[in-house]
């Protein structure tokens, strides 16, 4: 197996680090459309979800909490487009609204997400490109820092943080995660694109490499330092 002749290497955040950008990730086979992905992201980030029948995860009771000064109007439009609007009322102070989501609609979205059996990262990898963009845009609005133009996201360590870092990479961002007081973390987002100034062709020679075989010809990994990357060096080449 040889390195593809057109492999671009872009300097990483640290001296001496480089990533091979030889194959874009185009998305998976999830049936969730962008509005479904956005709704699920709102519920998991700025919402509440409980089950009338928790053993089977059926009959969901779903709410989304959002400020009128931020994205309440956007959520109303999303609920209207998906025929999932039930009711709303004030929450806490007069600025926040609590939106009740139609249970039958959300049950379908939950079932199609596969989150009973798999992680949020698995779902991110399975979303189509458009659905993944809607998913990530929602998380940025729900958990992002407004003063930075939503270029940083706050999240507690765990499965959701792992999925956000992965999704940010797939959406074309470089990330740097820093600890925040209280145990949560900041995921800082940086747009980086190969350009003549930033990228160059490097002759790395030929050598045997270990290759993973996947159906889509790419695979996503995290190295021992926490950097997430995508590679096209798989058996299909």
């Amino acid at each position: 197996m040889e390195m593809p002749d057109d492999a671009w290497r872009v300097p990483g955040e640290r001296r001496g680090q480089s990533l091979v950008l030889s194959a874009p990730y185009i998305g998976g086979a999830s049936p969730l459309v962008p509005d479904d992905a956005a709704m699920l992201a709102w519920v998991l980030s700025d919402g509440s979800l409980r089950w009338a029948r928790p053993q089977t995860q059926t009959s969901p009771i779903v709410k989304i909490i959002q400020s009128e000064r931020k994205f309440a109007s956007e959520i109303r439009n999303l609920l209207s487009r998906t025929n999932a609007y039930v009711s709303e009322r004030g929450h806490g102070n007069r600025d926040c609204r609590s939106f009740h989501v139609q249970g039958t609609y959300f049950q379908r979205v939950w079932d199609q997400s596969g989150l009973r059996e798999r992680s949020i990262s698995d779902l991110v990898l399975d979303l189509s490109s458009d659905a993944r963009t809607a998913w990530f845009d929602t998380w940025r609005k729900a958990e992002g820092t407004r003063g930075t133009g939503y270029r940083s996201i706050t999240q507690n360590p765990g499965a959701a943080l792992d999925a956000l870092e992965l999704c940010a990479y797939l959406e074309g961002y470089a990330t740097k995660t820093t600890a925040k007081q209280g145990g949560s973390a900041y995921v800082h987002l940086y747009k980086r694109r190969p350009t003549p100034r930033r990228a160059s062709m490097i002759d790395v020679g030929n050598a045997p490499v270990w290759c993973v075989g996947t159906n889509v010809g790419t695979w996503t990994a995290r190295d021992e330092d926490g950097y997430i990357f995508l590679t096209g060096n798989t058996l299909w080449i």
Side-chain angles (χ1 to χ4, degrees):
M1 182 69 63
E2 297 180 356
M3 187 77 71
D5 292 336
D6 59 350
W8 284 87
R9 286 184 170 265
V10 181
E13 297 297 326
R14 300 168 300 162
R15 182 178 300 175
Q17 183 190 45
S18 59
L19 301 179
V20 178
L21 304 179
S22 58
Y25 188 87
I26 60 174
S30 171
L32 296 180
V33 299
D35 279 350
D36 296 337
M39 187 75 74
L40 183 58
W42 277 120
V43 172
L44 294 179
S45 58
D46 271 357
S48 66
L49 169 63
R50 60 188 180 92
W51 304 97
R53 298 181 177 89
Q55 289 185 339
T56 57
Q57 291 188 357
T58 54
S59 300
I61 301 169
V62 189
K63 296 179 182 178
I64 301 172
I65 313 298
Q66 188 55 229
S67 168
E68 288 283 5
R69 291 177 295 171
K70 293 184 178 180
F71 304 107
S73 294
E74 182 172 321
I75 291 172
R76 286 191 192 96
N77 291 335
L78 176 63
L79 289 167
S80 177
R81 290 197 305 271
T82 56
N83 294 317
Y85 184 93
V86 176
S87 63
E88 65 180 270
R89 63 181 181 179
H91 180 84
N93 59 57
R94 62 183 181 180
D95 177 60
C96 283
R97 305 295 292 174
S98 174
F99 298 90
H100 188 78
V101 182
Q102 209 271 341
T104 303
Y105 165 80
F106 190 81
Q107 183 72 65
R108 192 266 300 168
V109 170
W110 183 259
D111 291 344
Q112 291 183 341
S113 76
L115 287 177
R116 283 191 186 88
E117 302 86 15
R118 61 180 178 175
S119 70
I120 302 178
S121 292
D122 289 334
L123 171 61
V124 166
L125 292 171
D126 196 33
L127 291 172
S128 69
S129 178
D130 289 343
R132 187 184 65 240
T133 297
W135 165 275
F136 187 63
D137 181 61
T138 298
W139 277 97
R140 289 183 66 186
K141 291 173 179 175
E143 306 289 3
T145 304
R146 194 174 189 181
T148 65
Y150 301 98
R151 291 192 299 272
S152 62
I153 302 174
T154 303
Q155 188 61 227
N156 292 326
L161 176 61
D162 292 341
L164 280 173
E165 292 175 312
L166 172 61
C167 194
Y169 173 79
L170 296 176
E171 285 296 295
Y173 291 92
T175 65
K176 179 181 179 182
T177 301
T178 58
K180 180 184 176 184
Q181 189 174 7
S184 58
Y186 276 130
V187 180
H188 305 278
L189 307 174
Y190 308 91
K191 267 292 185 183
R192 298 175 58 210
R193 299 190 181 279
T195 67
R197 279 188 182 179
R198 292 180 173 177
S200 61
M201 297 290 290
I202 297 176
D203 182 5
V204 296
N206 296 328
V209 296
W210 173 74
C211 291
V212 177
T214 67
N215 291 333
V216 294
T218 62
W219 60 284
T220 308
R222 186 199 302 267
D223 69 16
E224 61 184 3
D225 296 318
Y227 287 87
I228 297 171
F229 60 94
L230 182 75
T231 178
N233 300 335
T234 57
L235 292 173
W236 69 275
I237 297 174

